Amino acid sequence: MSSNKKLIVGNWKMNPVTLDEAKKIASKIKRISPTLTSTETVICPPLPFIISCGSRKEVKHFHLGSQSASVEMVRGPHTGEVSAEMLHDIGVEYVIIGHSEQRARGESDVNVAKKIKAVIDAGLSPIVCVGELVRDEAGAYLEVLKNQIKHSLADVPLASVKSIVLAYEPIWAIGAPEPMKNEDIHESSIFVKKVFSDIFGVEAGLKVRVLYGGSVNYRNAPDIISYGKVDGLLVGRESVNSPGFVELLKAVDNIAYK
Ligand code: 13P
């Protein structure tokens, strides 16, 4: 584990439908967060709900994240765009970048790299998602992962690497009945750290936090942390099911440090 705290990120995706529901989910997470001792939680609601779900450092161990940010850094004529600076101003600390659902709609590594730069420049932490579409016996997926990491992080100066969080999300395990096997999660997270070390050096590689995402719920989360040996989790469906997410946070927080 690279940090002394586990990082649990809730990616709400395009859920829930109403502001009222969003506020209810957020308030349940904010109630449990201060009781956690070794876990930091980040919720990433849809953009229109973020500001109503919390504010910067409102309660201990609770942080706000966004599911997107513009590549544009300077204010101006960019209809429909939301800048990292604006997100920073409302208390957002993390931004999910390069999620496979956005890559599937055309987000390229080049665009991912630009967004990472914009987010870092605004003082936020990018949660950079990488993951293979299929896991083949011959290991071609390793090359896919390596290229995604290298190209996505192409513009990051060494001085900024400490703000980066990597999220390994094998695409075939997202929205699936089961997550990836724990031993495979462990193997992939080592590979992801190795590629990161090759780019930024061993010290940075040892420190970078690698999360796992893909069909995580409150039942499987503790084993994924313990046996998958990841620094945290990127949670989809279970993050908008507040009783489940609260149980997940409690269960993960109870895991003793290695
Ligand atoms: P699920 O947890 O619903 O599989 O989603 C994972 C994910 O894509 C998180 O970013």
Side-chain angles (χ1 to χ4, degrees):
M1 200 170 280
S2 310
S3 158
N4 61 355
K5 289 257 167 71
K6 290 154 268 191
L7 186 66
I8 308 299
V9 182
N11 176 8
W12 290 13
K13 306 193 179 182
M14 207 169 79
N15 300 290
V17 172
T18 67
L19 176 60
D20 196 41
E21 277 178 274
K23 287 203 279 197
K24 279 189 186 135
I25 300 169
S27 75
K28 292 198 177 115
I29 316 297
K30 280 188 278 190
R31 210 171 305 146
I32 184 82
S33 297
T35 70
L36 305 172
T37 55
S38 63
T39 309
E40 295 288 332
T41 186
V42 181
I43 60 163
C44 303
L47 280 172
F49 299 156
I50 295 180
I51 197 154
S52 304
C53 284
S55 54
R56 195 188 318 273
K57 307 239 181 324
E58 186 180 337
V59 288
K60 258 169 89 178
H61 312 309
F62 173 86
H63 308 269
L64 287 174
S66 168
Q67 299 169 30
S68 67
S70 180
V71 293
E72 303 295 344
M73 289 190 254
V74 182
R75 65 161 82 182
H78 311 297
T79 303
E81 296 295 293
V82 172
S83 73
E85 221 178 350
M86 292 169 184
L87 294 168
H88 180 269
D89 190 59
I90 62 165
V92 166
E93 293 172 75
Y94 293 86
V95 182
I96 297 172
I97 301 178
H99 192 282
S100 58
E101 287 155 14
Q102 290 192 316
R103 290 182 189 266
R105 283 200 300 273
E107 176 105 290
S108 64
D109 282 339
V110 172
N111 230 40
V112 168
K114 284 187 190 158
K115 285 188 177 175
I116 292 171
K117 181 168 176 8
V119 161
I120 290 175
D121 285 356
L124 308 176
S125 287
I127 299 172
V128 183
C129 301
V130 295
E132 74 278 3
L133 188 56
V134 285
R135 198 170 165 93
D136 59 310
E137 288 289 317
Y141 68 94
L142 294 173
E143 201 58 26
V144 171
L145 272 179
K146 189 162 128 187
N147 285 333
Q148 270 183 356
I149 298 167
K150 283 197 162 158
H151 297 148
S152 302
L153 302 178
D155 296 336
V156 178
L158 191 56
S160 305
V161 289
K162 56 182 181 306
S163 69
I164 294 174
V165 177
L166 295 171
Y168 170 62
E169 295 205 306
I171 298 169
W172 51 271
I174 295 176
E178 295 288 330
M180 189 183 209
K181 286 200 208 97
N182 293 326
E183 57 269 33
D184 293 339
I185 293 174
H186 185 206
E187 187 192 279
S188 292
S189 77
I190 291 172
F191 181 76
V192 165
K193 284 188 192 209
K194 163 85 174 72
V195 175
F196 195 85
S197 302
D198 290 345
I199 309 171
F200 297 111
V202 176
E203 200 186 325
L206 288 171
K207 284 188 187 150
V208 70
R209 286 174 292 177
V210 176
L211 316 181
Y212 165 79
S215 303
V216 175
N217 58 36
Y218 77 90
R219 288 186 212 90
N220 58 35
D223 279 358
I224 295 175
I225 296 277
S226 300
Y227 304 113
K229 295 188 175 30
V230 279
D231 303 294
L233 303 165
L234 182 52
V235 186
R237 286 159 291 171
E238 191 80 310
S239 70
V240 278
N241 164 32
S242 47
F245 197 63
V246 166
E247 280 312 307
L248 185 155
L249 290 171
K250 284 196 220 161
V252 165
D253 200 51
N254 280 336
I255 299 170
Y257 273 126
K258 291 169 250 159

